Amino acid sequence: MKLKVLVDNNTYIDQYYCGEPVVSYYIEDEDIRLLLDVGYSDLFMKNSDALGVDLGSVSTIVISHGHDDHTRGLKYYFEQNNNIISIIAHPDAFKEKSAGDLKICSPILEEELKEKCNLILSKKPIKVSKNITFLGEIPQINHFEERKPIGKQIIGETLVDDYVRDDTALVYKSEKGIYIITGCSHSGICNIIEYAKEVYKDNRVLGVIGGFHLFEVTKQVNKTIEYLKQNNIKELYPCHCTSFTVKAEIHKALPVKEVGVGLEINW
């Protein structure tokens, strides 16, 4: 499997790509090409061109969750592309979401999206390629990672607290173990890892890349570090919504690798 970071908060010194506080990854698994998330603007397309990534070869876009920093790029994608594509997400991903007076959802909601692509919505795990699985809804497994509501969402005609149950991740299975690729980890990074182990019946967690949604050193962060140590995870790439303070705290216990636009990982 090959993964390229198309967009992230961070950019590397002397590598002239642009960043924004979002996530977008280009992933290859054998003959399948896919994206995880599309960021907030058309930047994922501009960086794709600069990185030599052919978005025309992408057959599937997986959405980690429905917030606009992961989905707003769909607007620009469909303005410039009319090829048939599949989009895979949790059933809540394309509901209307808001925080106060601010809309924080995808600019294209479920009914309109069905007209533009092959939309696949699932709470259950789905194979997206030979070695990669979309996890679907992540169960609450660890007591220290309780879900917290972020704004509201509309279910039917009812406005309800949004516990971001659409937050999910991808898992790549190799002969040596599993790798986890996340968007924001609103479900809890340890919940995600533990569920990935359960889905694949494999406790060998080799690496994790993505946002951990951790900002201050709290009891949850300390518990997270203990969990990561217990699982002996060698390759940690916390990025996007993981603060420098938290990355530094993790680095005291386990080596943290830097993530930036243009990073290429071959697993």
Side-chain angles (χ1 to χ4, degrees), residues 234-252:
K234 301 295 186 186
E235 294 189 48
L236 281 173
Y237 295 86
C239 57
H240 178 45
C241 53
T242 317
S243 73
F244 172 81
T245 302
V246 169
K247 285 187 277 191
E249 192 69 17
I250 296 172
H251 192 65
K252 293 177 184 178

Side-chain angles (χ1 to χ4, degrees), residues 61-178:
I61 297 174
V62 179
I63 297 298
S64 69
H65 64 296
H67 287 159
D68 54 358
D69 53 334
H70 298 257
T71 60
R72 199 165 181 266
L74 290 173
K75 169 186 173 182
Y76 304 95
Y77 177 84
F78 285 116
E79 285 176 356
Q80 298 187 31
N81 294 274
N82 55 14
N83 51 312
I84 298 172
I85 196 163
S86 294
I87 293 181
I88 300 175
H90 182 281
D92 286 355
F94 296 104
K95 305 290 191 223
E96 186 172 331
K97 298 170 181 285
S98 61
D101 295 330
L102 183 67
K103 283 192 176 182
I104 57 171
C105 55
S106 167
I108 308 173
L109 299 180
E110 185 175 331
E111 292 307 311
E112 183 184 354
L113 200 56
K114 287 177 180 176
E115 299 174 1
K116 295 179 178 292
C117 68
N118 174 32
L119 182 60
I120 302 167
L121 301 176
S122 179
K123 292 184 179 183
K124 303 291 185 182
I126 295 174
K127 293 273 283 187
V128 297
S129 67
K130 180 179 178 181
N131 303 296
I132 297 175
T133 296
F134 164 86
L135 284 179
E137 188 164 317
I138 309 296
Q140 179 78 46
I141 299 171
N142 297 295
H143 67 278
F144 58 89
E145 290 183 316
E146 290 186 17
R147 290 181 182 272
K148 301 176 180 66
I150 298 178
K152 305 280 187 178
Q153 71 173 351
I154 295 177
I155 302 292
E157 297 182 355
T158 305
L159 190 66
V160 299
D161 286 338
D162 185 7
Y163 284 87
V164 202
R165 299 193 186 280
D166 49 317
D167 178 81
T168 186
L170 293 176
V171 184
Y172 170 71
K173 177 73 167 70
S174 75
E175 292 181 357
K176 296 180 179 179
I178 59 175

Side-chain angles (χ1 to χ4, degrees), residues 181-199:
I181 307 161
T182 76
C184 264
S185 302
H186 291 288
S187 303
I189 187 60
C190 304
N191 283 329
I192 290 170
I193 295 170
E194 201 62 24
Y195 188 52
K197 288 160 59 177
E198 179 183 319
V199 167

Side-chain angles (χ1 to χ4, degrees), residues 31-51:
D31 61 340
I32 299 297
R33 310 287 184 265
L34 60 96
L35 298 179
L36 177 66
D37 293 341
V38 290
Y40 188 77
S41 70
D42 63 349
L43 194 55
F44 77 103
M45 295 190 290
K46 292 177 179 177
N47 282 344
S48 292
D49 289 342
L51 289 162

